[in-house]
Amino acid sequence: MNTSEMKKMTYRDAIRLGMTEEMRRDDNVIFMGEDIGIYGGAFGVSHGMIDEFGEERILDTPISEATIVGTAVGAAATGLRPICEIMFMDFVTFAMDALVNQGAKMRYMFGGQSQVPMVLRLPAGSGTGAAAQHSQSLEAWLCHIPGLKVVTPSTPAQAKGLIKAAIRDNNPVCFIEHKLLYKIDDLVPLDEEFIIEIGKTLTERQGKDITIVTYGSLLLKAMEAAAFLAEEGIEVEILNPATLYPMDMKPIVESVIKTGRVIVAHEAAKTGGLGGEIVARIVESDAFDYLNAPIIRLAGLDVPIPYNKELEAACVPQKIDFIRAVHRLIDSEQG
Amino acid sequence: MIELSEEILLRMYYKMNQARFFEEKVDYLFSKGLVHGTAHLSIGQEASGVISCLALEKGDLVSMTHRGHAQAIGFGLDVNLMMAEFMGRARGYCKGKGGSMHIADVQNGNIGANGVVGGGFNLSCGAALTQKYKKTGKVVLCFAGDGATNQGSFHESLNLAAVWNLPIVFLIENNLYGMSSPISKNMNIENISERSGSYDIPGLTIDGNDPIEVYNTVLKALRYARAGRGPVLVEAKTYRYNGHSKGDAQVYRNEEEIAEWREKDPILRLKKYLQENRVFTDKQIQTMANEAHKSIETALKFAMESPEPEITSVLEDVYA
């Protein structure tokens, strides 16, 4: 195959392609979750995989999230490389002991004698009208746990590259996929060795006036805002920490040194959100001396996600919020 | 009734004594304030802890509890490395990072003691899934205490193991107390093995202080699981003489109750069995106990001579 060959496909199909390639490559990769077999998963991500890999490797489970994840940890520690799908990220609450107290710590507390190569796929985020128990963005909880890695792709190509990297990684990797992105389509490399390295912050757009750090579905809104602002002559640089933990801060710090202005944005609730951590790391760094304006955090409101469409949209930053925030920072300096 | 060889009886007696002496040493070190940390003693539970592991085949796996010293010794872990780990030393099983509650030997199938009550059930499902998927013919012995069977993970795991036909023997060491709480106060059934009915798997309650009964039962359960017939739940009724952990004043039970259980001591029972069946002479029996005692003195020496971990090791092994 021509290694530079690309194909347009959705984010959903890209995740499936990445998993499929890795399952063909390594017999130790198995896949567990609720209704992932004949049903194809609640969001159709595993559609058709059971036809190729059968019930031995595509394991439909009872509705027991704690045991799905605990079983994955035990299987990973003994030689398999499980992928688990938790139907909604909200239900990771059930699995926290298995993930946090077992999977994340096993290697360290056993003095390095084990490894836990597993992937936890977590469909997250709001915008689907599913209300408070099916719309959360809980990445900050996971990023608080040494031993876990947390990644979140924003494009189909990133989805494929990161799911493959996550499956090949020898640690528990939480793979957060935003539900609103499933239908987004874009070019994806067909190269089976196309990997996006875990632990790298991606520069999505270059600019000299202002830095926006954001991830997940908000990246798309930030990109749209940047295109709009470019017409006003404002050049926005956008950085995407596609690995949320451990986060690669170097490109972020370098960008802030260059622009002197920064907006950090996420959909998750503001209080205790990852934005606070990113901002703290910026002000602890050399970039502090280069700041020309206060830092702005755009984040979800500190409320549960409501059902009504307008209320729901009001909870999370929109394109217009990015544009306003950029104007505020530019104006504050001029003032 | 399975006929037991001299060799297995010897191992039983030696290892039960080794577990007893190990824990008496741990208790002593705490009482003298010589160790920083904590440990949970299973003195009195050596039949369920040690003997059940002796029924395992090479390559079988085990998941242990926070009260796991006897289980570990039964499985064949090195008492030198265990003692060094308990003392937080660099040459311990976990390089001093785990302590008593996290002793493990993963490469050899011991997927670890677990500090979380009920934490081992679903890990065992995963270890068993690996055996089933790779068709190894090996079985996982999953230890837990009575208190752990009130965790959701117990029920989820028994259910999953049952519907997936996983090769696991769940061995519940029912020592009648979850910390201070009598198990009778926290469940309305007499025998925990009754819970197997909900998952349509075999459930057995045995005298957990009878080494021969423990061995025979666990051996049969392992054969059942090994044959691909699915999991088995075994409840071994037993008793711990010491408190939950250090610093337990044991206000929840009386001396008479402890004395009654001491009458049923598993090591004394095996000794009596050996004497009555004239398997070994009294002198041979005493020699085995002496050897076990000596191994623990050697372990302590090994641990004391082991260096403390390098401070820089604090950052190692977070990620593979």
Side-chain angles (χ1 to χ4, degrees), chain A residues 27-28 30 56-57 60 62 64 66-67 70-71 73-75 78-80 97 102 107-113 147-148 170-171 245, chain B residues 93-95 98 102 104-107 111 114 116 119 122-123 125-127 130 133-135 156-157 160 164 314 316-320:
Chain A
D27 284 344
N28 287 327
I30 58 164
E56 263 197 7
R57 297 183 70 191
D60 270 330
S64 305
T67 284
T71 297
V73 173
T78 52
L80 298 183
D97 177 66
Q102 313 292 343
R107 180 175 180 81
Y108 189 83
M109 69 189 175
F110 293 169
Q113 49 170 314
L148 298 181
N170 287 327
N171 300 282
Y245 186 75
Chain B
Y93 268 108
C94 312
K95 301 178 187 165
H102 303 298
D105 185 9
V106 180
Q107 296 312 311
I111 64 168
N114 208 306
V116 175
N122 45 39
L123 301 185
C125 286
T130 303
Y133 182 75
K134 296 195 167 185
K135 301 181 173 65
E156 287 192 14
S157 296
L160 186 82
W164 283 6
V314 75
E316 292 168 3
D317 295 325
V318 179
Y319 293 99

Short mmCIF file of all heavy atoms in Angstrom, two decimals, chain A residues 27-28 30 56-57 60 62 64 66-67 70-71 73-75 78-80 97 102 107-113 147-148 170-171 245, chain B residues 93-95 98 102 104-107 111 114 116 119 122-123 125-127 130 133-135 156-157 160 164 314 316-320:
data_model
loop_
_atom_site.label_atom_id
_atom_site.label_comp_id
_atom_site.label_asym_id
_atom_site.label_seq_id
_atom_site.Cartn_x
_atom_site.Cartn_y
_atom_site.Cartn_z
N ASP A 27 -3.05 -10.79 18.28
CA ASP A 27 -4.12 -11.66 18.80
C ASP A 27 -4.43 -11.43 20.26
O ASP A 27 -5.47 -11.87 20.77
CB ASP A 27 -3.71 -13.14 18.65
CG ASP A 27 -3.85 -13.61 17.22
OD1 ASP A 27 -4.53 -12.92 16.44
OD2 ASP A 27 -3.26 -14.66 16.89
N ASN A 28 -3.51 -10.78 20.97
CA ASN A 28 -3.76 -10.54 22.40
C ASN A 28 -4.74 -9.39 22.65
O ASN A 28 -5.16 -9.17 23.77
CB ASN A 28 -2.44 -10.23 23.12
CG ASN A 28 -1.60 -11.48 23.29
OD1 ASN A 28 -2.14 -12.58 23.45
ND2 ASN A 28 -0.29 -11.33 23.22
N ILE A 30 -8.18 -7.89 22.80
CA ILE A 30 -9.60 -8.28 22.85
C ILE A 30 -10.41 -7.02 23.15
O ILE A 30 -9.85 -6.00 23.55
CB ILE A 30 -9.87 -9.36 23.92
CG1 ILE A 30 -9.46 -8.86 25.31
CG2 ILE A 30 -9.14 -10.67 23.57
CD1 ILE A 30 -10.04 -9.67 26.45
N GLU A 56 -15.21 -14.63 20.63
CA GLU A 56 -14.06 -14.84 21.51
C GLU A 56 -13.31 -13.55 21.77
O GLU A 56 -12.71 -13.37 22.82
CB GLU A 56 -13.08 -15.84 20.87
CG GLU A 56 -13.27 -17.24 21.36
CD GLU A 56 -12.07 -18.11 21.04
OE1 GLU A 56 -11.04 -17.61 20.56
OE2 GLU A 56 -12.19 -19.32 21.27
N ARG A 57 -13.33 -12.66 20.78
CA ARG A 57 -12.54 -11.43 20.92
C ARG A 57 -13.39 -10.18 21.06
O ARG A 57 -12.89 -9.14 21.48
CB ARG A 57 -11.57 -11.29 19.72
CG ARG A 57 -10.56 -12.43 19.68
CD ARG A 57 -9.59 -12.26 18.55
NE ARG A 57 -8.67 -11.16 18.79
CZ ARG A 57 -7.85 -10.66 17.87
NH1 ARG A 57 -7.86 -11.16 16.64
NH2 ARG A 57 -7.03 -9.68 18.16
N ASP A 60 -19.39 -9.26 24.47
CA ASP A 60 -20.52 -8.55 25.07
C ASP A 60 -20.56 -8.89 26.55
O ASP A 60 -20.50 -10.06 26.92
CB ASP A 60 -21.82 -9.00 24.41
CG ASP A 60 -22.19 -8.16 23.20
OD1 ASP A 60 -21.84 -6.96 23.18
OD2 ASP A 60 -22.82 -8.71 22.29
N PRO A 62 -22.23 -8.33 30.67
CA PRO A 62 -23.38 -7.86 31.45
C PRO A 62 -23.21 -6.37 31.76
O PRO A 62 -22.12 -5.82 31.57
CB PRO A 62 -23.31 -8.68 32.74
CG PRO A 62 -22.36 -9.81 32.47
CD PRO A 62 -21.43 -9.33 31.40
N SER A 64 -22.20 -4.29 33.95
CA SER A 64 -21.39 -4.35 35.17
C SER A 64 -20.09 -3.59 34.91
O SER A 64 -19.03 -4.19 34.73
CB SER A 64 -21.04 -5.82 35.50
OG SER A 64 -22.18 -6.63 35.60
N ALA A 66 -18.04 -1.91 36.70
CA ALA A 66 -16.92 -2.16 37.61
C ALA A 66 -16.18 -3.42 37.19
O ALA A 66 -14.94 -3.48 37.21
CB ALA A 66 -17.43 -2.30 39.05
N THR A 67 -16.95 -4.41 36.81
CA THR A 67 -16.33 -5.69 36.46
C THR A 67 -15.79 -5.70 35.04
O THR A 67 -14.81 -6.40 34.77
CB THR A 67 -17.32 -6.83 36.78
OG1 THR A 67 -17.30 -7.00 38.20
CG2 THR A 67 -16.95 -8.13 36.13
N GLY A 70 -12.46 -4.02 35.83
CA GLY A 70 -11.64 -4.89 36.67
C GLY A 70 -11.17 -6.12 35.91
O GLY A 70 -10.02 -6.56 36.05
N THR A 71 -12.04 -6.66 35.10
CA THR A 71 -11.67 -7.82 34.29
C THR A 71 -10.59 -7.43 33.28
O THR A 71 -9.64 -8.19 33.05
CB THR A 71 -12.92 -8.38 33.57
OG1 THR A 71 -13.85 -8.81 34.57
CG2 THR A 71 -12.58 -9.55 32.67
N VAL A 73 -8.36 -5.11 33.72
CA VAL A 73 -7.11 -4.95 34.48
C VAL A 73 -6.48 -6.32 34.73
O VAL A 73 -5.28 -6.53 34.49
CB VAL A 73 -7.35 -4.21 35.81
CG1 VAL A 73 -6.08 -4.19 36.67
CG2 VAL A 73 -7.82 -2.78 35.56
N GLY A 74 -7.29 -7.26 35.17
CA GLY A 74 -6.77 -8.60 35.45
C GLY A 74 -6.27 -9.30 34.20
O GLY A 74 -5.25 -9.99 34.22
N ALA A 75 -6.97 -9.10 33.10
CA ALA A 75 -6.55 -9.71 31.83
C ALA A 75 -5.26 -9.04 31.33
O ALA A 75 -4.35 -9.72 30.85
CB ALA A 75 -7.67 -9.57 30.79
N THR A 78 -2.15 -10.17 33.06
CA THR A 78 -1.77 -11.57 32.80
C THR A 78 -1.52 -11.83 31.31
O THR A 78 -1.44 -12.99 30.91
CB THR A 78 -2.83 -12.53 33.35
OG1 THR A 78 -4.13 -12.15 32.85
CG2 THR A 78 -2.86 -12.54 34.86
N GLY A 79 -1.42 -10.79 30.50
CA GLY A 79 -0.92 -11.01 29.15
C GLY A 79 -1.80 -10.60 27.99
O GLY A 79 -1.35 -10.64 26.84
N LEU A 80 -3.05 -10.22 28.24
CA LEU A 80 -3.87 -9.75 27.13
C LEU A 80 -3.77 -8.22 27.03
O LEU A 80 -3.17 -7.57 27.88
CB LEU A 80 -5.33 -10.18 27.31
CG LEU A 80 -5.58 -11.70 27.33
CD1 LEU A 80 -7.08 -11.99 27.45
CD2 LEU A 80 -5.01 -12.39 26.10
N ASP A 97 -12.93 2.04 41.27
CA ASP A 97 -11.98 1.24 42.06
C ASP A 97 -11.06 0.46 41.14
O ASP A 97 -9.84 0.47 41.31
CB ASP A 97 -12.69 0.27 43.01
CG ASP A 97 -11.66 -0.58 43.75
OD1 ASP A 97 -10.89 0.00 44.54
OD2 ASP A 97 -11.57 -1.80 43.50
N GLN A 102 -6.79 -0.07 41.32
CA GLN A 102 -6.15 -1.30 40.83
C GLN A 102 -5.28 -0.99 39.61
O GLN A 102 -4.07 -1.01 39.69
CB GLN A 102 -7.21 -2.37 40.50
CG GLN A 102 -8.28 -2.56 41.58
CD GLN A 102 -7.78 -3.17 42.88
OE1 GLN A 102 -6.71 -3.75 42.92
NE2 GLN A 102 -8.53 -3.02 43.95
N ARG A 107 1.30 -1.43 38.83
CA ARG A 107 2.72 -1.47 38.50
C ARG A 107 3.57 -0.85 39.61
O ARG A 107 4.56 -1.42 40.04
CB ARG A 107 2.98 -0.75 37.17
CG ARG A 107 4.44 -0.76 36.78
CD ARG A 107 4.68 -0.15 35.42
NE ARG A 107 6.10 -0.19 35.10
CZ ARG A 107 6.72 -1.27 34.62
NH1 ARG A 107 6.04 -2.37 34.40
NH2 ARG A 107 8.01 -1.23 34.37
N TYR A 108 3.16 0.32 40.06
CA TYR A 108 3.94 1.03 41.06
C TYR A 108 3.96 0.29 42.39
O TYR A 108 5.01 0.06 42.97
CB TYR A 108 3.37 2.44 41.26
CG TYR A 108 4.24 3.34 42.10
CD1 TYR A 108 5.31 4.02 41.53
CD2 TYR A 108 4.00 3.51 43.46
CE1 TYR A 108 6.11 4.86 42.29
CE2 TYR A 108 4.80 4.34 44.23
CZ TYR A 108 5.85 5.02 43.64
OH TYR A 108 6.65 5.85 44.39
N MET A 109 2.79 -0.11 42.86
CA MET A 109 2.76 -0.71 44.20
C MET A 109 3.37 -2.11 44.21
O MET A 109 3.72 -2.60 45.27
CB MET A 109 1.37 -0.66 44.82
CG MET A 109 0.31 -1.49 44.22
SD MET A 109 -1.30 -1.06 44.97
CE MET A 109 -2.36 -2.09 43.95
N PHE A 110 3.50 -2.72 43.03
CA PHE A 110 4.19 -4.01 42.96
C PHE A 110 5.67 -3.83 42.58
O PHE A 110 6.34 -4.79 42.19
CB PHE A 110 3.52 -4.95 41.95
CG PHE A 110 2.13 -5.40 42.32
CD1 PHE A 110 1.33 -6.06 41.40
CD2 PHE A 110 1.60 -5.18 43.59
CE1 PHE A 110 0.04 -6.48 41.73
CE2 PHE A 110 0.32 -5.59 43.93
CZ PHE A 110 -0.47 -6.24 43.00
N GLY A 111 6.15 -2.61 42.64
CA GLY A 111 7.57 -2.38 42.40
C GLY A 111 8.00 -2.63 40.97
O GLY A 111 9.14 -3.02 40.73
N GLY A 112 7.10 -2.40 40.04
CA GLY A 112 7.47 -2.50 38.62
C GLY A 112 7.38 -3.90 38.04
O GLY A 112 7.76 -4.12 36.90
N GLN A 113 6.84 -4.85 38.79
CA GLN A 113 6.83 -6.22 38.27
C GLN A 113 5.65 -6.53 37.35
O GLN A 113 5.57 -7.64 36.81
CB GLN A 113 6.92 -7.26 39.38
CG GLN A 113 5.96 -7.06 40.52
CD GLN A 113 5.93 -8.24 41.46
OE1 GLN A 113 5.86 -9.37 41.03
NE2 GLN A 113 5.96 -7.97 42.75
N GLY A 147 -0.34 7.11 36.90
CA GLY A 147 -0.46 5.71 36.49
C GLY A 147 -1.41 5.57 35.32
O GLY A 147 -1.31 4.62 34.55
N LEU A 148 -2.36 6.51 35.20
CA LEU A 148 -3.24 6.52 34.03
C LEU A 148 -2.64 7.44 32.98
O LEU A 148 -1.91 8.37 33.29
CB LEU A 148 -4.64 7.05 34.39
CG LEU A 148 -5.44 6.27 35.41
CD1 LEU A 148 -6.81 6.94 35.61
CD2 LEU A 148 -5.62 4.82 34.99
N ASN A 170 1.74 0.27 26.98
CA ASN A 170 1.75 -0.75 28.03
C ASN A 170 1.15 -0.29 29.34
O ASN A 170 1.41 -0.86 30.39
CB ASN A 170 3.18 -1.25 28.25
CG ASN A 170 3.64 -2.13 27.10
OD1 ASN A 170 2.83 -2.84 26.50
ND2 ASN A 170 4.92 -2.08 26.77
N ASN A 171 0.35 0.77 29.29
CA ASN A 171 -0.27 1.33 30.50
C ASN A 171 -1.76 1.47 30.28
O ASN A 171 -2.22 1.44 29.14
CB ASN A 171 0.34 2.71 30.78
CG ASN A 171 1.83 2.63 31.01
OD1 ASN A 171 2.28 2.24 32.08
ND2 ASN A 171 2.60 2.96 29.98
N TYR A 245 -3.08 13.83 29.86
CA TYR A 245 -2.23 13.47 30.99
C TYR A 245 -1.38 12.28 30.61
O TYR A 245 -1.93 11.30 30.12
CB TYR A 245 -3.08 13.14 32.21
CG TYR A 245 -2.27 12.90 33.46
CD1 TYR A 245 -1.70 13.96 34.16
CD2 TYR A 245 -2.06 11.61 33.94
CE1 TYR A 245 -0.95 13.74 35.31
CE2 TYR A 245 -1.32 11.37 35.09
CZ TYR A 245 -0.77 12.45 35.76
OH TYR A 245 -0.03 12.23 36.89
N TYR B 93 9.53 -7.86 47.63
CA TYR B 93 8.84 -8.16 46.38
C TYR B 93 8.50 -6.91 45.57
O TYR B 93 8.51 -6.92 44.35
CB TYR B 93 7.55 -8.94 46.65
CG TYR B 93 7.76 -10.44 46.61
CD1 TYR B 93 7.74 -11.20 47.78
CD2 TYR B 93 8.02 -11.10 45.41
CE1 TYR B 93 7.95 -12.57 47.74
CE2 TYR B 93 8.24 -12.46 45.36
CZ TYR B 93 8.21 -13.19 46.52
OH TYR B 93 8.43 -14.54 46.47
N CYS B 94 8.18 -5.83 46.27
CA CYS B 94 7.74 -4.61 45.58
C CYS B 94 8.74 -3.47 45.79
O CYS B 94 8.38 -2.30 45.69
CB CYS B 94 6.37 -4.19 46.07
SG CYS B 94 5.17 -5.53 46.12
N LYS B 95 9.97 -3.81 46.07
CA LYS B 95 11.03 -2.82 46.29
C LYS B 95 10.66 -1.82 47.39
O LYS B 95 11.02 -0.64 47.33
CB LYS B 95 11.33 -2.05 44.99
CG LYS B 95 11.77 -2.94 43.84
CD LYS B 95 11.99 -2.10 42.59
CE LYS B 95 12.27 -2.95 41.36
NZ LYS B 95 12.13 -2.18 40.12
N GLY B 98 5.14 -1.46 48.28
CA GLY B 98 3.81 -2.03 48.49
C GLY B 98 3.51 -2.35 49.93
O GLY B 98 2.43 -2.08 50.43
N HIS B 102 0.37 -5.37 49.61
CA HIS B 102 0.50 -5.44 48.15
C HIS B 102 1.56 -6.44 47.69
O HIS B 102 2.08 -6.32 46.58
CB HIS B 102 0.78 -4.04 47.59
CG HIS B 102 -0.27 -3.05 47.97
ND1 HIS B 102 -1.58 -3.20 47.57
CD2 HIS B 102 -0.25 -1.97 48.75
CE1 HIS B 102 -2.29 -2.22 48.09
NE2 HIS B 102 -1.51 -1.46 48.82
N ALA B 104 3.15 -9.32 45.91
CA ALA B 104 2.74 -9.93 44.65
C ALA B 104 3.94 -10.56 43.98
O ALA B 104 5.08 -10.21 44.27
CB ALA B 104 2.15 -8.87 43.71
N ASP B 105 3.67 -11.49 43.09
CA ASP B 105 4.71 -12.11 42.27
C ASP B 105 4.05 -12.42 40.93
O ASP B 105 3.73 -13.56 40.62
CB ASP B 105 5.23 -13.37 42.97
CG ASP B 105 6.41 -13.98 42.23
OD1 ASP B 105 6.93 -13.35 41.29
OD2 ASP B 105 6.81 -15.11 42.59
N VAL B 106 3.84 -11.36 40.18
CA VAL B 106 2.95 -11.44 39.01
C VAL B 106 3.46 -12.42 37.96
O VAL B 106 2.68 -13.19 37.40
CB VAL B 106 2.74 -10.03 38.40
CG1 VAL B 106 1.82 -10.10 37.19
CG2 VAL B 106 2.14 -9.09 39.45
N GLN B 107 4.78 -12.41 37.73
CA GLN B 107 5.32 -13.30 36.69
C GLN B 107 5.05 -14.77 37.00
O GLN B 107 4.93 -15.59 36.11
CB GLN B 107 6.84 -13.08 36.53
CG GLN B 107 7.22 -11.70 36.03
CD GLN B 107 6.41 -11.25 34.82
OE1 GLN B 107 6.28 -12.00 33.85
NE2 GLN B 107 5.82 -10.06 34.87
N ILE B 111 -1.15 -12.60 41.39
CA ILE B 111 -1.49 -11.25 40.91
C ILE B 111 -1.70 -10.27 42.05
O ILE B 111 -2.16 -9.15 41.85
CB ILE B 111 -2.67 -11.25 39.92
CG1 ILE B 111 -3.96 -11.71 40.57
CG2 ILE B 111 -2.35 -12.07 38.68
CD1 ILE B 111 -5.21 -11.44 39.72
N ASN B 114 -4.42 -7.51 47.94
CA ASN B 114 -5.20 -6.35 47.54
C ASN B 114 -5.64 -5.56 48.75
O ASN B 114 -6.26 -6.11 49.65
CB ASN B 114 -6.41 -6.81 46.72
CG ASN B 114 -6.85 -5.74 45.74
OD1 ASN B 114 -7.09 -4.60 46.14
ND2 ASN B 114 -6.90 -6.08 44.47
N VAL B 116 -7.85 -3.35 48.81
CA VAL B 116 -9.26 -2.99 48.72
C VAL B 116 -10.10 -4.24 48.97
O VAL B 116 -9.95 -5.24 48.28
CB VAL B 116 -9.59 -2.41 47.33
CG1 VAL B 116 -11.08 -2.14 47.20
CG2 VAL B 116 -8.79 -1.13 47.10
N GLY B 119 -11.55 -6.04 46.06
CA GLY B 119 -10.84 -5.58 44.87
C GLY B 119 -10.35 -6.69 43.96
O GLY B 119 -10.07 -6.47 42.79
N ASN B 122 -12.90 -9.00 40.49
CA ASN B 122 -12.95 -8.81 39.04
C ASN B 122 -11.57 -8.91 38.39
O ASN B 122 -11.46 -9.30 37.23
CB ASN B 122 -13.71 -7.53 38.64
CG ASN B 122 -13.33 -6.32 39.45
OD1 ASN B 122 -12.17 -6.15 39.76
ND2 ASN B 122 -14.30 -5.49 39.78
N LEU B 123 -10.51 -8.65 39.17
CA LEU B 123 -9.17 -8.91 38.63
C LEU B 123 -9.03 -10.40 38.34
O LEU B 123 -8.43 -10.81 37.33
CB LEU B 123 -8.08 -8.49 39.62
CG LEU B 123 -8.04 -7.03 40.08
CD1 LEU B 123 -6.82 -6.79 40.95
CD2 LEU B 123 -8.02 -6.09 38.88
N CYS B 125 -11.42 -12.40 37.52
CA CYS B 125 -12.17 -12.69 36.28
C CYS B 125 -11.27 -12.42 35.07
O CYS B 125 -11.26 -13.20 34.11
CB CYS B 125 -13.42 -11.81 36.18
SG CYS B 125 -14.73 -12.30 37.29
N GLY B 126 -10.51 -11.34 35.14
CA GLY B 126 -9.63 -11.01 34.02
C GLY B 126 -8.50 -12.02 33.87
O GLY B 126 -8.19 -12.45 32.75
N ALA B 127 -7.91 -12.41 35.00
CA ALA B 127 -6.83 -13.41 34.94
C ALA B 127 -7.38 -14.73 34.40
O ALA B 127 -6.71 -15.42 33.62
CB ALA B 127 -6.23 -13.59 36.33
N THR B 130 -7.91 -14.57 30.62
CA THR B 130 -6.66 -14.83 29.91
C THR B 130 -6.42 -16.34 29.77
O THR B 130 -6.05 -16.81 28.69
CB THR B 130 -5.46 -14.18 30.65
OG1 THR B 130 -5.71 -12.79 30.78
CG2 THR B 130 -4.16 -14.39 29.89
N TYR B 133 -8.94 -17.68 27.23
CA TYR B 133 -8.66 -17.20 25.88
C TYR B 133 -7.43 -17.90 25.30
O TYR B 133 -7.40 -18.28 24.14
CB TYR B 133 -8.46 -15.68 25.92
CG TYR B 133 -8.19 -15.04 24.57
CD1 TYR B 133 -9.23 -14.87 23.66
CD2 TYR B 133 -6.92 -14.60 24.22
CE1 TYR B 133 -9.00 -14.28 22.43
CE2 TYR B 133 -6.68 -14.02 22.99
CZ TYR B 133 -7.73 -13.85 22.09
OH TYR B 133 -7.50 -13.27 20.87
N LYS B 134 -6.42 -18.07 26.16
CA LYS B 134 -5.18 -18.70 25.68
C LYS B 134 -5.19 -20.21 25.86
O LYS B 134 -4.19 -20.87 25.59
CB LYS B 134 -3.98 -18.09 26.41
CG LYS B 134 -3.80 -16.61 26.11
CD LYS B 134 -2.43 -16.10 26.54
CE LYS B 134 -2.18 -14.72 25.94
NZ LYS B 134 -0.85 -14.21 26.20
N LYS B 135 -6.30 -20.73 26.36
CA LYS B 135 -6.47 -22.18 26.54
C LYS B 135 -5.29 -22.81 27.29
O LYS B 135 -4.71 -23.82 26.87
CB LYS B 135 -6.66 -22.86 25.17
CG LYS B 135 -7.88 -22.33 24.42
CD LYS B 135 -8.07 -23.05 23.08
CE LYS B 135 -9.37 -22.66 22.40
NZ LYS B 135 -9.45 -21.24 21.97
N GLU B 156 -21.11 -9.00 40.90
CA GLU B 156 -20.84 -8.80 39.46
C GLU B 156 -19.86 -9.86 38.95
O GLU B 156 -20.02 -10.37 37.84
CB GLU B 156 -20.23 -7.41 39.22
CG GLU B 156 -21.21 -6.27 39.35
CD GLU B 156 -20.64 -4.95 38.82
OE1 GLU B 156 -19.62 -4.96 38.12
OE2 GLU B 156 -21.24 -3.90 39.11
N SER B 157 -18.85 -10.14 39.75
CA SER B 157 -17.81 -11.07 39.29
C SER B 157 -18.31 -12.51 39.26
O SER B 157 -17.98 -13.26 38.35
CB SER B 157 -16.57 -10.96 40.18
OG SER B 157 -16.02 -9.68 40.06
N LEU B 160 -20.42 -12.69 36.15
CA LEU B 160 -19.65 -12.72 34.91
C LEU B 160 -18.92 -14.06 34.76
O LEU B 160 -18.94 -14.68 33.69
CB LEU B 160 -18.63 -11.57 34.88
CG LEU B 160 -17.90 -11.46 33.54
CD1 LEU B 160 -18.75 -10.69 32.53
CD2 LEU B 160 -16.55 -10.77 33.69
N TRP B 164 -19.69 -16.48 31.65
CA TRP B 164 -18.56 -16.69 30.73
C TRP B 164 -17.84 -18.00 31.00
O TRP B 164 -16.85 -18.31 30.37
CB TRP B 164 -17.55 -15.53 30.83
CG TRP B 164 -18.00 -14.28 30.12
CD1 TRP B 164 -19.21 -14.05 29.52
CD2 TRP B 164 -17.24 -13.08 29.93
NE1 TRP B 164 -19.25 -12.78 28.99
CE2 TRP B 164 -18.05 -12.16 29.22
CE3 TRP B 164 -15.96 -12.68 30.30
CZ2 TRP B 164 -17.61 -10.89 28.86
CZ3 TRP B 164 -15.52 -11.40 29.95
CH2 TRP B 164 -16.35 -10.53 29.24
N VAL B 314 11.46 6.69 44.13
CA VAL B 314 10.05 7.13 44.32
C VAL B 314 9.39 7.47 42.99
O VAL B 314 8.18 7.36 42.84
CB VAL B 314 9.98 8.31 45.32
CG1 VAL B 314 10.46 9.62 44.70
CG2 VAL B 314 8.57 8.47 45.87
N GLU B 316 10.16 5.98 40.10
CA GLU B 316 10.24 4.87 39.15
C GLU B 316 8.97 4.02 39.15
O GLU B 316 8.31 3.87 40.17
CB GLU B 316 11.44 3.96 39.51
CG GLU B 316 12.78 4.64 39.28
CD GLU B 316 13.94 3.88 39.90
OE1 GLU B 316 13.72 2.78 40.47
OE2 GLU B 316 15.07 4.41 39.85
N ASP B 317 8.70 3.43 38.00
CA ASP B 317 7.65 2.41 37.85
C ASP B 317 6.22 2.93 37.96
O ASP B 317 5.30 2.18 38.25
CB ASP B 317 7.86 1.26 38.85
CG ASP B 317 9.14 0.50 38.57
OD1 ASP B 317 9.49 0.37 37.38
OD2 ASP B 317 9.77 0.03 39.52
N VAL B 318 6.03 4.24 37.74
CA VAL B 318 4.65 4.73 37.63
C VAL B 318 4.07 4.24 36.30
O VAL B 318 2.92 3.82 36.23
CB VAL B 318 4.61 6.28 37.69
CG1 VAL B 318 3.17 6.78 37.56
CG2 VAL B 318 5.22 6.78 38.99
N TYR B 319 4.91 4.29 35.26
CA TYR B 319 4.49 3.83 33.93
C TYR B 319 5.43 2.76 33.41
O TYR B 319 6.62 2.75 33.74
CB TYR B 319 4.47 5.01 32.94
CG TYR B 319 3.41 6.02 33.26
CD1 TYR B 319 3.73 7.20 33.94
CD2 TYR B 319 2.07 5.79 32.94
CE1 TYR B 319 2.75 8.12 34.27
CE2 TYR B 319 1.08 6.71 33.28
CZ TYR B 319 1.43 7.87 33.94
OH TYR B 319 0.45 8.77 34.27
N ALA B 320 4.87 1.88 32.58
CA ALA B 320 5.68 0.85 31.94
C ALA B 320 6.34 1.44 30.71
O ALA B 320 5.83 2.37 30.11
CB ALA B 320 4.81 -0.32 31.55
#
